[in-house]
């Protein structure tokens, strides 16, 4: 090969590799820039209905702010830190309880959210804000609520003036009860709801401290949600309800008495929320325990026949803490785009839209609400202290562990 040809070939090769290197650099710079400019939101234990509602609002917010956004549903039974790293999660929307605690542990930068974002909240919801040195680490956005629904017609025919205590509920139930009909029902086949219901009863009958102790027992019984041979559902049941220093002995005894008196049907252990909906619609139940979010899914004809109340107690409002699972925004990094998104989510118009779509209640005092139930829940929480996550949300149980525990509880309760 002639020398001139060799020089030309070397020149061409040099140009090719230089161009390739520049293209690779530009490619990786672009990929890095895209990751930096994209906010990835992780949904953690908030349910599909909330995920859909938040996705619609977040997309609208980001379109108006020229922010790129992605969405990721966090697997509750897998390592959170690894999921955050692999999917570049910047912001988590998490349910109160273990999901919130795990999210807070993954914050990598000091928060930038100013505390004045809470100015429109009522006091009990401001109490629920997680903050550090005047900066918000986790901001409440919406909350669910555990409620009792009572047939209006049956109450009016009973001659009773009000329903203010569990004795009142029992009295009404006895008036309705027959040998073939037990008037009180709940979705016992839903393990999370079952624990939430028992926790709400425990708070009402035995106090917030009893609830807190029960929550700690549940948390100690699991190790990061990973199934273990050491998990003993029978022993956990004993620690909660039976041993001398158990936190909720009277709660379980009281519920069992309602079953034995024929006021709660044994079939409640098989019910899911859809069964309660159908029963309410066809007048097969007159008193049922449900949640605000489930209430929204009921048929209109069923809803119109019932009035909602909170779980009653002999304690004064300042001693109460209702089971009302709150959804939080937890920024994991400190950047302007993430802060803008969270600030928009707490705006009155976004709160109103989220409540209308999900049926949940707002954290703002003056936000419009979609119905009386949502407004009532806000009023009840505003009149009490920081709401509870619900025992079903406190510990990172695996699905098999939840089933084991609920099966033991139901066996003891109904037999």
């Amino acid at each position: 090969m002639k020398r001139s040809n060799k020089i030309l070939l070397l020149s061409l090769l040099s140009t090719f590799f230089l161009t390739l290197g520049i293209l690779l650099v530009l490619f990786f710079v672009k990929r890095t820039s895209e990751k930096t400019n994209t906010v990835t939101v992780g949904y953690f234990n908030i349910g599909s209905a909330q995920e859909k509602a938040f996705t619609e609002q977040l997309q609208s917010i980001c379109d108006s702010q020229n922010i790129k956004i992605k969405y990721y549903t966090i697997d509750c039974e897998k390592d959170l830190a690894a999921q955050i790293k692999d999917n570049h999660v910047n912001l988590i929307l998490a349910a109160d309880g273990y999901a919130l605690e795990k999210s807070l542990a993954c914050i990598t930068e000091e928060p930038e959210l100013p505390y004045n974002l809470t100015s429109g909240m009522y006091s009990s919801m401001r109490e629920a804000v997680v903050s550090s040195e005047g900066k918000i680490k986790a901001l409440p956005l919406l909350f669910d609520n555990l409620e009792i629904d009572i047939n209006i017609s049956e109450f009016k025919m009973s001659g009773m003036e009000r329903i203010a205590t569990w004795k009142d509920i029992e009295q009404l139930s006895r008036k309705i009860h027959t040998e073939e009909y037990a008037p009180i029902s709940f979705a016992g086949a839903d393990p999370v709801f079952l624990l939430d219901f028992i926790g709400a009863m425990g708070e009402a009958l035995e106090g917030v401290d009893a609830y807190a102790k029960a929550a700690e027992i549940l948390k100690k019984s699991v190790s990061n949600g990973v199934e273990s041979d050491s998990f003993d559902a029978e022993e956990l049941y004993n620690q909660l309800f039976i041993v001398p220093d158990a936190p909720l002995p009277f709660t379980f005894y009281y519920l069992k008495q309602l079953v034995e008196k024929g006021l709660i049907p044994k079939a409640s252990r098989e019910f899911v929320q859809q069964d309660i909906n159908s029963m309410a619609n066809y007048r097969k139940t007159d008193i049922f325990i449900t949640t605000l979010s489930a209430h929204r899914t009921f048929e209109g004809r069923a809803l119109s026949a019932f009035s909602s109340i909170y779980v009653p107690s002999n304690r004064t409002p300042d001693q109460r803490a209702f089971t009302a699972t709150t959804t939080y925004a937890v920024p994991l990094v400190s950047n302007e785009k993430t802060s803008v998104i969270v600030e928009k989510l707490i705006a009155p118009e976004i709160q109103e839209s989220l409540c209308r779509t999900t049926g949940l209640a707002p954290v703002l005092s003056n936000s419009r609400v979609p119905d009386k139930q949502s407004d009532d829940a806000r009023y009840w929480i505003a009149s009490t202290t920081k709401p509870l996550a619900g025992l079903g949300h406190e510990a990172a149980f695996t699905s098999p562990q939840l089933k084991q525990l609920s099966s033991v509880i139901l066996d003891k309760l109904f037999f």
Side-chain angles (χ1 to χ4, degrees):
M1 183 180 291
K2 294 182 180 180
R3 180 178 178 84
S4 60
N5 290 339
K6 288 183 178 180
I7 293 173
L8 178 61
L9 179 61
L10 288 173
S11 176
L12 290 172
L13 287 173
S14 298
T15 302
F16 170 77
F17 285 113
L18 178 61
T19 303
L20 179 62
I22 292 171
L23 289 173
L24 287 172
V25 169
L26 291 174
F27 173 76
F28 285 112
V29 167
K30 181 181 179 183
R31 288 289 300 274
T32 302
S33 176
E34 285 179 352
K35 290 178 183 178
T36 303
N37 293 325
T38 300
V39 175
T40 301
V41 178
Y43 297 130
F44 197 179
N45 199 34
I46 66 171
S48 58
Q50 281 201 65
E51 286 191 19
K52 181 180 178 181
F54 274 112
T55 297
E56 291 175 356
Q57 293 302 316
L58 287 166
Q59 194 63 56
S60 176
I61 290 169
C62 290
D63 288 347
S64 67
Q65 299 294 317
N66 197 28
I67 297 173
K68 293 182 179 179
I69 188 166
K70 292 181 179 179
Y71 312 95
Y72 175 73
T73 300
I74 292 168
D75 189 328
C76 299
E77 298 185 17
K78 293 182 179 179
D79 182 70
L80 176 59
Q83 292 181 78
I84 289 172
K85 181 180 178 182
D86 293 344
N87 296 280
H88 311 288
V89 177
N90 314 95
L91 171 66
I92 293 180
L93 301 187
D96 195 7
Y98 75 85
L100 175 62
E101 291 180 7
K102 287 189 172 188
S103 299
L104 289 169
C106 291
I107 293 176
T108 57
E109 299 176 18
E110 287 299 313
E112 286 189 350
L113 297 176
Y115 202 78
N116 62 15
L117 284 178
T118 68
S119 60
M121 296 180 179
Y122 35 92
S123 60
S124 56
M125 199 49 67
R126 283 198 300 273
E127 185 184 347
V129 173
V130 181
S131 62
S132 174
E133 298 180 354
K135 295 296 181 70
I136 296 170
K137 298 178 69 175
L139 184 70
L141 298 175
L142 297 170
F143 65 89
D144 207 339
N145 186 59
L146 195 136
E147 65 184 38
I148 300 175
D149 288 84
I150 295 175
N151 187 294
I152 299 169
S153 177
E154 291 291 348
F155 171 69
K156 289 180 177 179
M157 289 190 297
S158 72
M160 298 176 63
E161 294 183 0
R162 62 175 186 168
I163 301 290
T165 67
W166 272 100
K167 286 186 178 180
D168 294 334
I169 293 176
E170 276 198 70
Q171 182 181 347
L172 176 61
S173 299
R174 286 194 297 270
K175 289 176 179 290
I176 304 170
H177 167 259
T178 67
E179 288 187 8
E180 296 79 26
Y181 176 64
I184 304 174
S185 58
F186 61 91
D190 181 337
V192 173
F193 176 82
L194 176 65
L195 288 173
D196 281 356
F197 171 44
I198 290 173
M201 290 290 292
E203 180 276 330
L205 299 174
E206 304 187 70
V208 177
D209 290 344
Y211 172 95
K213 184 177 178 182
E216 285 304 311
I217 290 172
L218 292 176
K219 291 174 187 178
K220 289 178 181 178
S221 70
V222 295
S223 175
N224 298 321
V226 178
E227 195 163 7
S228 169
D229 293 337
S230 64
F231 183 78
D232 187 336
E234 185 83 25
E235 176 59 25
L236 185 51
Y237 161 81
N238 288 329
Q239 290 180 36
L240 290 170
F241 309 113
I242 304 301
V243 298
D245 61 345
L248 303 175
F250 180 71
T251 298
F252 192 82
Y253 169 79
Y254 184 75
L255 287 172
K256 192 168 181 64
Q257 287 297 300
L258 293 179
V259 173
E260 292 180 351
K261 291 175 182 178
L263 303 181
I264 296 178
K266 291 187 176 182
S268 272
R269 69 169 297 159
E270 307 294 341
F271 294 156
V272 296
Q273 290 294 351
Q274 185 56 43
D275 295 320
I276 303 299
N277 183 348
S278 179
M279 291 167 66
N281 193 41
Y282 292 101
R283 291 294 308 275
K284 299 296 184 182
T285 183
D286 287 299
I287 302 170
F288 61 89
I289 298 92
T290 189
T291 60
L292 185 60
S293 54
H295 191 132
R296 173 55 70 88
T297 67
F298 287 7
E299 296 180 30
R301 184 173 64 174
L303 289 179
S304 63
F306 290 84
S307 180
S308 303
I309 66 169
Y310 55 79
V311 180
S313 171
N314 292 328
R315 291 173 170 78
T316 58
D318 63 308
Q319 296 176 308
R320 300 297 308 275
F322 293 135
T323 293
T325 310
T326 303
T327 299
Y328 283 82
V330 185
L332 303 181
V333 296
S334 178
N335 65 52
E336 183 180 355
K337 291 181 174 62
T338 302
S339 297
V340 166
I341 290 173
V342 176
E343 289 178 24
K344 292 291 184 181
L345 285 173
I346 201 68
E349 62 274 14
I350 301 296
Q351 285 270 293
E352 178 186 345
S353 182
L354 286 169
C355 291
R356 185 173 59 250
T357 306
T358 62
L360 301 185
V363 298
L364 298 181
S365 302
N366 297 319
S367 175
R368 289 187 293 182
V369 290
D371 49 38
K372 184 179 184 300
Q373 289 75 30
S374 181
D375 196 29
D376 284 345
R378 173 170 57 181
Y379 175 76
W380 296 334
I381 296 300
S383 302
T384 55
T385 60
K386 173 187 173 182
L388 304 171
L391 286 185
H393 292 80
E394 294 283 9
F397 289 112
T398 62
S399 296
Q401 288 171 342
L402 270 173
K403 290 179 180 178
Q404 289 176 49
L405 179 56
S406 64
S407 180
V408 169
I409 292 173
L410 291 170
D411 285 347
K412 305 292 186 181
L413 183 61
F414 289 103
F415 294 101

